[in-house]
Amino acid sequence: ENPRTRYNYALTRIKKEEYKGALEEFNKVRELSPLFNVKEVWKNIANCYNEIGYIGEAKKYYIKTLFLEDDKEALINLATIYWYEGEIKKAKLLLEKSLEIEPDALSYNNLGLCYWKENKNDKAVENFNKAVMLSPGYTEAWFNLINLYDMMGDKVMVMSETDRMAKIYSENGWVVE
């Protein structure tokens, strides 16, 4: 009945994609020692709920995690939930906070999608470009950038970005999946 052992076992169950079992272990950790690694326990509970589709519970635990301390993973995951709920301003706020912690291509790409949704195309392009600069092999960000230019009717930029992507992928021996 050691909370650390239960916590580690829960992490093992997550790796095996046994999310309901991991939830049981995390809840046992909370019973045994409510303050044991509380931020990580709550974040992992949120991740498990997210994986099994209990989005309301996941959201609740991500928020609880963020009350304790900013956490990049929790910020990104909660932003994703808000995106799907149509709460674009909340998603943007969380993604910007995530980028303050550390820049990453996923957050820039998702922030670009938020701006695109708000018809702020220049900001969307800026963020998609930041994503591909940080991670040149991030196909989704490239496609978002090219598709946005296409939607805007800028055929010159569509060709330019397609050529730039093709050149980078060719130089690195990458394939588009």
mmCIF file of all heavy atoms in Angstrom, residues 48-81:
data_model
loop_
_atom_site.group_PDB
_atom_site.id
_atom_site.type_symbol
_atom_site.label_atom_id
_atom_site.label_comp_id
_atom_site.label_asym_id
_atom_site.label_seq_id
_atom_site.Cartn_x
_atom_site.Cartn_y
_atom_site.Cartn_z
ATOM 1 N N CYS A 48 -5.768 10.060 -18.564
ATOM 2 C CA CYS A 48 -6.503 8.785 -18.663
ATOM 3 C C CYS A 48 -7.958 9.027 -19.071
ATOM 4 O O CYS A 48 -8.478 8.349 -19.960
ATOM 5 C CB CYS A 48 -6.439 8.029 -17.341
ATOM 6 S SG CYS A 48 -4.817 7.336 -16.968
ATOM 7 N N TYR A 49 -8.607 9.978 -18.409
ATOM 8 C CA TYR A 49 -9.985 10.294 -18.785
ATOM 9 C C TYR A 49 -10.063 10.739 -20.243
ATOM 10 O O TYR A 49 -10.993 10.365 -20.966
ATOM 11 C CB TYR A 49 -10.571 11.366 -17.872
ATOM 12 C CG TYR A 49 -11.082 10.853 -16.550
ATOM 13 C CD1 TYR A 49 -10.692 11.437 -15.354
ATOM 14 C CD2 TYR A 49 -11.978 9.781 -16.491
ATOM 15 C CE1 TYR A 49 -11.169 10.967 -14.127
ATOM 16 C CE2 TYR A 49 -12.460 9.309 -15.284
ATOM 17 C CZ TYR A 49 -12.052 9.902 -14.103
ATOM 18 O OH TYR A 49 -12.534 9.428 -12.912
ATOM 19 N N ASN A 50 -9.099 11.528 -20.662
ATOM 20 C CA ASN A 50 -9.060 11.998 -22.048
ATOM 21 C C ASN A 50 -8.953 10.810 -23.005
ATOM 22 O O ASN A 50 -9.657 10.749 -24.015
ATOM 23 C CB ASN A 50 -7.882 12.960 -22.226
ATOM 24 C CG ASN A 50 -8.029 13.865 -23.420
ATOM 25 O OD1 ASN A 50 -9.123 14.099 -23.919
ATOM 26 N ND2 ASN A 50 -6.922 14.402 -23.869
ATOM 27 N N GLU A 51 -8.101 9.858 -22.679
ATOM 28 C CA GLU A 51 -7.899 8.687 -23.540
ATOM 29 C C GLU A 51 -9.146 7.813 -23.638
ATOM 30 O O GLU A 51 -9.392 7.213 -24.683
ATOM 31 C CB GLU A 51 -6.719 7.854 -23.046
ATOM 32 C CG GLU A 51 -5.371 8.495 -23.284
ATOM 33 C CD GLU A 51 -5.002 8.585 -24.752
ATOM 34 O OE1 GLU A 51 -5.474 7.767 -25.565
ATOM 35 O OE2 GLU A 51 -4.226 9.496 -25.088
ATOM 36 N N ILE A 52 -9.918 7.710 -22.565
ATOM 37 C CA ILE A 52 -11.106 6.846 -22.622
ATOM 38 C C ILE A 52 -12.363 7.620 -23.027
ATOM 39 O O ILE A 52 -13.445 7.051 -23.079
ATOM 40 C CB ILE A 52 -11.322 6.075 -21.300
ATOM 41 C CG1 ILE A 52 -11.519 7.001 -20.108
ATOM 42 C CG2 ILE A 52 -10.181 5.105 -21.063
ATOM 43 C CD1 ILE A 52 -11.832 6.279 -18.800
ATOM 44 N N GLY A 53 -12.186 8.914 -23.316
ATOM 45 C CA GLY A 53 -13.297 9.699 -23.857
ATOM 46 C C GLY A 53 -14.181 10.376 -22.834
ATOM 47 O O GLY A 53 -15.251 10.856 -23.178
ATOM 48 N N TYR A 54 -13.767 10.432 -21.583
ATOM 49 C CA TYR A 54 -14.530 11.134 -20.549
ATOM 50 C C TYR A 54 -14.004 12.568 -20.486
ATOM 51 O O TYR A 54 -13.282 12.941 -19.561
ATOM 52 C CB TYR A 54 -14.404 10.450 -19.200
ATOM 53 C CG TYR A 54 -15.019 9.079 -19.097
ATOM 54 C CD1 TYR A 54 -15.560 8.426 -20.201
ATOM 55 C CD2 TYR A 54 -15.062 8.417 -17.883
ATOM 56 C CE1 TYR A 54 -16.114 7.164 -20.091
ATOM 57 C CE2 TYR A 54 -15.624 7.150 -17.767
ATOM 58 C CZ TYR A 54 -16.147 6.539 -18.881
ATOM 59 O OH TYR A 54 -16.704 5.277 -18.776
ATOM 60 N N ILE A 55 -14.376 13.344 -21.483
ATOM 61 C CA ILE A 55 -13.794 14.665 -21.683
ATOM 62 C C ILE A 55 -14.124 15.625 -20.540
ATOM 63 O O ILE A 55 -13.277 16.415 -20.126
ATOM 64 C CB ILE A 55 -14.237 15.250 -23.049
ATOM 65 C CG1 ILE A 55 -13.845 14.296 -24.193
ATOM 66 C CG2 ILE A 55 -13.659 16.635 -23.267
ATOM 67 C CD1 ILE A 55 -12.387 13.897 -24.227
ATOM 68 N N GLY A 56 -15.334 15.570 -20.014
ATOM 69 C CA GLY A 56 -15.702 16.442 -18.899
ATOM 70 C C GLY A 56 -14.816 16.216 -17.688
ATOM 71 O O GLY A 56 -14.367 17.165 -17.037
ATOM 72 N N GLU A 57 -14.550 14.945 -17.383
ATOM 73 C CA GLU A 57 -13.668 14.613 -16.258
ATOM 74 C C GLU A 57 -12.234 15.026 -16.560
ATOM 75 O O GLU A 57 -11.524 15.540 -15.694
ATOM 76 C CB GLU A 57 -13.741 13.121 -15.927
ATOM 77 C CG GLU A 57 -15.027 12.705 -15.270
ATOM 78 C CD GLU A 57 -15.245 13.374 -13.920
ATOM 79 O OE1 GLU A 57 -14.341 13.328 -13.065
ATOM 80 O OE2 GLU A 57 -16.331 13.956 -13.723
ATOM 81 N N ALA A 58 -11.800 14.801 -17.797
ATOM 82 C CA ALA A 58 -10.441 15.199 -18.192
ATOM 83 C C ALA A 58 -10.269 16.707 -18.012
ATOM 84 O O ALA A 58 -9.284 17.168 -17.424
ATOM 85 C CB ALA A 58 -10.170 14.798 -19.641
ATOM 86 N N LYS A 59 -11.236 17.445 -18.497
ATOM 87 C CA LYS A 59 -11.200 18.912 -18.392
ATOM 88 C C LYS A 59 -11.093 19.346 -16.931
ATOM 89 O O LYS A 59 -10.272 20.205 -16.585
ATOM 90 C CB LYS A 59 -12.464 19.471 -19.044
ATOM 91 C CG LYS A 59 -12.547 20.949 -19.145
ATOM 92 C CD LYS A 59 -13.827 21.284 -19.925
ATOM 93 C CE LYS A 59 -14.167 22.725 -19.887
ATOM 94 N NZ LYS A 59 -15.413 23.011 -20.623
ATOM 95 N N LYS A 60 -11.891 18.744 -16.080
ATOM 96 C CA LYS A 60 -11.889 19.083 -14.654
ATOM 97 C C LYS A 60 -10.496 18.879 -14.044
ATOM 98 O O LYS A 60 -9.990 19.736 -13.321
ATOM 99 C CB LYS A 60 -12.930 18.227 -13.921
ATOM 100 C CG LYS A 60 -12.992 18.464 -12.430
ATOM 101 C CD LYS A 60 -14.157 17.710 -11.796
ATOM 102 C CE LYS A 60 -13.779 16.276 -11.539
ATOM 103 N NZ LYS A 60 -14.812 15.525 -10.800
ATOM 104 N N TYR A 61 -9.861 17.766 -14.373
ATOM 105 C CA TYR A 61 -8.553 17.472 -13.784
ATOM 106 C C TYR A 61 -7.433 18.299 -14.415
ATOM 107 O O TYR A 61 -6.463 18.637 -13.735
ATOM 108 C CB TYR A 61 -8.251 15.973 -13.824
ATOM 109 C CG TYR A 61 -8.899 15.260 -12.668
ATOM 110 C CD1 TYR A 61 -10.140 14.647 -12.811
ATOM 111 C CD2 TYR A 61 -8.278 15.238 -11.421
ATOM 112 C CE1 TYR A 61 -10.745 14.011 -11.737
ATOM 113 C CE2 TYR A 61 -8.879 14.606 -10.344
ATOM 114 C CZ TYR A 61 -10.114 14.001 -10.510
ATOM 115 O OH TYR A 61 -10.704 13.392 -9.440
ATOM 116 N N TYR A 62 -7.554 18.638 -15.707
ATOM 117 C CA TYR A 62 -6.555 19.550 -16.293
ATOM 118 C C TYR A 62 -6.633 20.915 -15.611
ATOM 119 O O TYR A 62 -5.607 21.521 -15.296
ATOM 120 C CB TYR A 62 -6.759 19.710 -17.803
ATOM 121 C CG TYR A 62 -6.314 18.527 -18.623
ATOM 122 C CD1 TYR A 62 -7.140 18.000 -19.607
ATOM 123 C CD2 TYR A 62 -5.071 17.933 -18.427
ATOM 124 C CE1 TYR A 62 -6.736 16.913 -20.374
ATOM 125 C CE2 TYR A 62 -4.664 16.843 -19.190
ATOM 126 C CZ TYR A 62 -5.502 16.341 -20.158
ATOM 127 O OH TYR A 62 -5.098 15.266 -20.918
ATOM 128 N N ILE A 63 -7.831 21.389 -15.368
ATOM 129 C CA ILE A 63 -8.008 22.682 -14.696
ATOM 130 C C ILE A 63 -7.427 22.624 -13.287
ATOM 131 O O ILE A 63 -6.716 23.552 -12.862
ATOM 132 C CB ILE A 63 -9.488 23.109 -14.706
ATOM 133 C CG1 ILE A 63 -9.925 23.459 -16.135
ATOM 134 C CG2 ILE A 63 -9.732 24.285 -13.758
ATOM 135 C CD1 ILE A 63 -11.426 23.636 -16.326
ATOM 136 N N LYS A 64 -7.706 21.535 -12.571
ATOM 137 C CA LYS A 64 -7.147 21.387 -11.223
ATOM 138 C C LYS A 64 -5.618 21.392 -11.273
ATOM 139 O O LYS A 64 -4.966 22.029 -10.430
ATOM 140 C CB LYS A 64 -7.640 20.078 -10.588
ATOM 141 C CG LYS A 64 -9.090 20.098 -10.170
ATOM 142 C CD LYS A 64 -9.573 18.743 -9.699
ATOM 143 C CE LYS A 64 -9.113 18.470 -8.300
ATOM 144 N NZ LYS A 64 -9.870 17.388 -7.637
ATOM 145 N N THR A 65 -5.054 20.721 -12.245
ATOM 146 C CA THR A 65 -3.595 20.691 -12.408
ATOM 147 C C THR A 65 -3.056 22.096 -12.596
ATOM 148 O O THR A 65 -2.064 22.487 -11.970
ATOM 149 C CB THR A 65 -3.208 19.818 -13.618
ATOM 150 O OG1 THR A 65 -3.680 18.490 -13.414
ATOM 151 C CG2 THR A 65 -1.712 19.805 -13.853
ATOM 152 N N LEU A 66 -3.725 22.872 -13.443
ATOM 153 C CA LEU A 66 -3.238 24.218 -13.757
ATOM 154 C C LEU A 66 -3.434 25.188 -12.600
ATOM 155 O O LEU A 66 -2.750 26.211 -12.537
ATOM 156 C CB LEU A 66 -3.901 24.731 -15.035
ATOM 157 C CG LEU A 66 -3.502 23.944 -16.294
ATOM 158 C CD1 LEU A 66 -4.338 24.371 -17.487
ATOM 159 C CD2 LEU A 66 -2.013 24.090 -16.575
ATOM 160 N N PHE A 67 -4.347 24.883 -11.689
ATOM 161 C CA PHE A 67 -4.470 25.703 -10.485
ATOM 162 C C PHE A 67 -3.218 25.576 -9.619
ATOM 163 O O PHE A 67 -2.836 26.512 -8.927
ATOM 164 C CB PHE A 67 -5.703 25.326 -9.660
ATOM 165 C CG PHE A 67 -6.957 25.991 -10.112
ATOM 166 C CD1 PHE A 67 -8.110 25.244 -10.306
ATOM 167 C CD2 PHE A 67 -7.019 27.359 -10.345
ATOM 168 C CE1 PHE A 67 -9.288 25.846 -10.732
ATOM 169 C CE2 PHE A 67 -8.179 27.967 -10.763
ATOM 170 C CZ PHE A 67 -9.319 27.209 -10.956
ATOM 171 N N LEU A 68 -2.602 24.421 -9.656
ATOM 172 C CA LEU A 68 -1.389 24.206 -8.857
ATOM 173 C C LEU A 68 -0.168 24.870 -9.484
ATOM 174 O O LEU A 68 0.637 25.474 -8.791
ATOM 175 C CB LEU A 68 -1.115 22.710 -8.688
ATOM 176 C CG LEU A 68 -2.112 21.935 -7.851
ATOM 177 C CD1 LEU A 68 -1.747 20.457 -7.846
ATOM 178 C CD2 LEU A 68 -2.144 22.473 -6.428
ATOM 179 N N GLU A 69 -0.047 24.705 -10.809
ATOM 180 C CA GLU A 69 1.147 25.202 -11.498
ATOM 181 C C GLU A 69 0.926 25.066 -13.003
ATOM 182 O O GLU A 69 0.284 24.123 -13.458
ATOM 183 C CB GLU A 69 2.344 24.351 -11.060
ATOM 184 C CG GLU A 69 3.636 24.688 -11.702
ATOM 185 C CD GLU A 69 4.761 23.747 -11.253
ATOM 186 O OE1 GLU A 69 4.528 22.834 -10.444
ATOM 187 O OE2 GLU A 69 5.868 23.929 -11.748
ATOM 188 N N ASP A 70 1.502 26.012 -13.764
ATOM 189 C CA ASP A 70 1.439 25.870 -15.216
ATOM 190 C C ASP A 70 2.183 24.612 -15.625
ATOM 191 O O ASP A 70 3.271 24.325 -15.125
ATOM 192 C CB ASP A 70 2.050 27.088 -15.910
ATOM 193 C CG ASP A 70 1.131 28.291 -15.895
ATOM 194 O OD1 ASP A 70 -0.083 28.104 -15.705
ATOM 195 O OD2 ASP A 70 1.620 29.414 -16.077
ATOM 196 N N ASP A 71 1.577 23.867 -16.519
ATOM 197 C CA ASP A 71 2.139 22.615 -17.001
ATOM 198 C C ASP A 71 1.882 22.552 -18.498
ATOM 199 O O ASP A 71 0.731 22.614 -18.937
ATOM 200 C CB ASP A 71 1.465 21.436 -16.293
ATOM 201 C CG ASP A 71 2.002 20.113 -16.756
ATOM 202 O OD1 ASP A 71 1.553 19.624 -17.815
ATOM 203 O OD2 ASP A 71 2.887 19.572 -16.071
ATOM 204 N N LYS A 72 2.938 22.468 -19.279
ATOM 205 C CA LYS A 72 2.831 22.538 -20.730
ATOM 206 C C LYS A 72 1.869 21.493 -21.297
ATOM 207 O O LYS A 72 1.004 21.809 -22.102
ATOM 208 C CB LYS A 72 4.212 22.394 -21.358
ATOM 209 C CG LYS A 72 4.195 22.666 -22.846
ATOM 210 C CD LYS A 72 5.561 23.011 -23.337
ATOM 211 C CE LYS A 72 5.565 23.353 -24.795
ATOM 212 N NZ LYS A 72 4.882 24.583 -25.132
ATOM 213 N N GLU A 73 2.018 20.258 -20.880
ATOM 214 C CA GLU A 73 1.158 19.193 -21.389
ATOM 215 C C GLU A 73 -0.310 19.449 -21.045
ATOM 216 O O GLU A 73 -1.195 19.296 -21.897
ATOM 217 C CB GLU A 73 1.608 17.850 -20.821
ATOM 218 C CG GLU A 73 0.770 16.680 -21.301
ATOM 219 C CD GLU A 73 1.163 15.362 -20.640
ATOM 220 O OE1 GLU A 73 2.091 15.326 -19.823
ATOM 221 O OE2 GLU A 73 0.494 14.358 -20.955
ATOM 222 N N ALA A 74 -0.578 19.850 -19.814
ATOM 223 C CA ALA A 74 -1.956 20.126 -19.398
ATOM 224 C C ALA A 74 -2.523 21.313 -20.178
ATOM 225 O O ALA A 74 -3.692 21.286 -20.572
ATOM 226 C CB ALA A 74 -2.021 20.392 -17.899
ATOM 227 N N LEU A 75 -1.708 22.328 -20.406
ATOM 228 C CA LEU A 75 -2.163 23.490 -21.182
ATOM 229 C C LEU A 75 -2.554 23.084 -22.603
ATOM 230 O O LEU A 75 -3.619 23.469 -23.096
ATOM 231 C CB LEU A 75 -1.069 24.566 -21.233
ATOM 232 C CG LEU A 75 -0.819 25.340 -19.944
ATOM 233 C CD1 LEU A 75 0.525 26.056 -19.988
ATOM 234 C CD2 LEU A 75 -1.946 26.330 -19.683
ATOM 235 N N ILE A 76 -1.707 22.312 -23.252
ATOM 236 C CA ILE A 76 -1.979 21.888 -24.634
ATOM 237 C C ILE A 76 -3.215 20.989 -24.690
ATOM 238 O O ILE A 76 -4.084 21.160 -25.553
ATOM 239 C CB ILE A 76 -0.748 21.174 -25.234
ATOM 240 C CG1 ILE A 76 0.396 22.178 -25.440
ATOM 241 C CG2 ILE A 76 -1.100 20.495 -26.558
ATOM 242 C CD1 ILE A 76 1.727 21.528 -25.794
ATOM 243 N N ASN A 77 -3.311 20.045 -23.772
ATOM 244 C CA ASN A 77 -4.455 19.125 -23.789
ATOM 245 C C ASN A 77 -5.775 19.826 -23.476
ATOM 246 O O ASN A 77 -6.799 19.538 -24.104
ATOM 247 C CB ASN A 77 -4.216 17.964 -22.833
ATOM 248 C CG ASN A 77 -3.128 17.032 -23.329
ATOM 249 O OD1 ASN A 77 -2.770 17.038 -24.497
ATOM 250 N ND2 ASN A 77 -2.587 16.241 -22.439
ATOM 251 N N LEU A 78 -5.745 20.755 -22.528
ATOM 252 C CA LEU A 78 -6.961 21.515 -22.221
ATOM 253 C C LEU A 78 -7.329 22.429 -23.387
ATOM 254 O O LEU A 78 -8.506 22.575 -23.722
ATOM 255 C CB LEU A 78 -6.796 22.312 -20.926
ATOM 256 C CG LEU A 78 -8.027 23.059 -20.427
ATOM 257 C CD1 LEU A 78 -9.228 22.132 -20.243
ATOM 258 C CD2 LEU A 78 -7.709 23.774 -19.116
ATOM 259 N N ALA A 79 -6.321 23.011 -24.035
ATOM 260 C CA ALA A 79 -6.581 23.841 -25.219
ATOM 261 C C ALA A 79 -7.266 23.025 -26.315
ATOM 262 O O ALA A 79 -8.190 23.511 -26.982
ATOM 263 C CB ALA A 79 -5.273 24.446 -25.751
ATOM 264 N N THR A 80 -6.851 21.786 -26.472
ATOM 265 C CA THR A 80 -7.467 20.909 -27.476
ATOM 266 C C THR A 80 -8.929 20.659 -27.148
ATOM 267 O O THR A 80 -9.791 20.689 -28.041
ATOM 268 C CB THR A 80 -6.691 19.586 -27.573
ATOM 269 O OG1 THR A 80 -5.332 19.872 -27.918
ATOM 270 C CG2 THR A 80 -7.306 18.665 -28.606
ATOM 271 N N ILE A 81 -9.228 20.439 -25.879
ATOM 272 C CA ILE A 81 -10.619 20.243 -25.468
ATOM 273 C C ILE A 81 -11.434 21.500 -25.773
ATOM 274 O O ILE A 81 -12.528 21.421 -26.347
ATOM 275 C CB ILE A 81 -10.703 19.869 -23.969
ATOM 276 C CG1 ILE A 81 -10.143 18.459 -23.746
ATOM 277 C CG2 ILE A 81 -12.153 19.960 -23.465
ATOM 278 C CD1 ILE A 81 -9.961 18.072 -22.289
#
